[in-house]
Amino acid sequence: MSAAVAASGTTLTDLHGIGDVTAAKILARSGVVNRFRSESAFASYCGVAPIEVSSGDVQRHRLSRAGNRQLNYALHVMAMAQIKRATPGRDYYQRNRAAGKTHKEAMRCLKRRLADVVYRTMIKDTETSLLPAG
């Protein structure tokens, strides 16, 4: 699996929390990244786009139960790895917790943010791979 990820030329493994297995899962499950029209479409496909579940004056969001569960799990693993180390993801998580969000709400926000990072990385990889060598 490591050889296949290396042969793909992806830089996903440079992101904190993504190893060869997780990168292979993301690449295999998402397919050609250009098929997604935006970061939001990719997040929705991963199942990390928030769904509003408000009632009265209470404004709440929750994770979607739709989407690709394998991609959602890969982003969850990445989020947990980011929280355990001193990373920008941990800082973002702690800011949300300090703002009064619960653990689940802060994780939802972090996973959505990480989906954007993964999407931009995959788009950048496709753009650089199309450039002629030299």
Side-chain angles (χ1 to χ4, degrees):
M1 200 175 312
S2 298
V5 170
S8 73
T10 186
T11 58
L12 283 175
T13 54
D14 294 343
L15 299 175
H16 188 81
I18 296 184
D20 290 335
V21 173
T22 307
K25 189 178 290 190
I26 291 170
L27 291 172
R29 293 289 179 166
S30 62
V32 179
V33 73
N34 291 332
R35 70 188 178 116
F36 301 107
R37 66 183 180 280
S38 65
E39 293 172 345
S40 299
F42 180 72
S44 179
Y45 182 75
C46 293
V48 295
I51 295 176
E52 187 173 348
V53 288
S54 301
S55 175
D57 292 335
V58 178
Q59 295 275 329
R60 295 243 167 123
H61 293 85
R62 69 170 175 82
L63 280 177
S64 171
R65 298 195 191 278
N68 189 308
R69 304 313 301 160
Q70 293 292 316
L71 284 173
N72 190 309
Y73 180 71
L75 290 171
H76 180 78
V77 167
M78 184 180 180
M80 292 304 290
Q82 295 244 340
I83 289 173
K84 290 180 181 179
R85 303 271 189 246
T87 62
R90 181 181 190 173
D91 297 339
Y92 180 73
Y93 173 82
Q94 288 178 338
R95 278 196 311 270
N96 281 326
R97 291 287 293 170
K101 293 190 186 246
T102 65
H103 167 73
K104 284 186 178 183
E105 291 171 332
M107 280 295 289
R108 176 191 51 78
C109 294
L110 178 59
K111 285 167 69 172
R112 176 61 173 89
R113 169 88 47 109
L114 293 176
D116 291 347
V117 171
V118 168
Y119 177 79
R120 286 191 302 263
T121 301
M122 291 171 63
I123 289 291
K124 185 184 69 162
D125 289 346
T126 59
E127 289 171 354
T128 56
S129 69
L130 296 176
L131 295 175

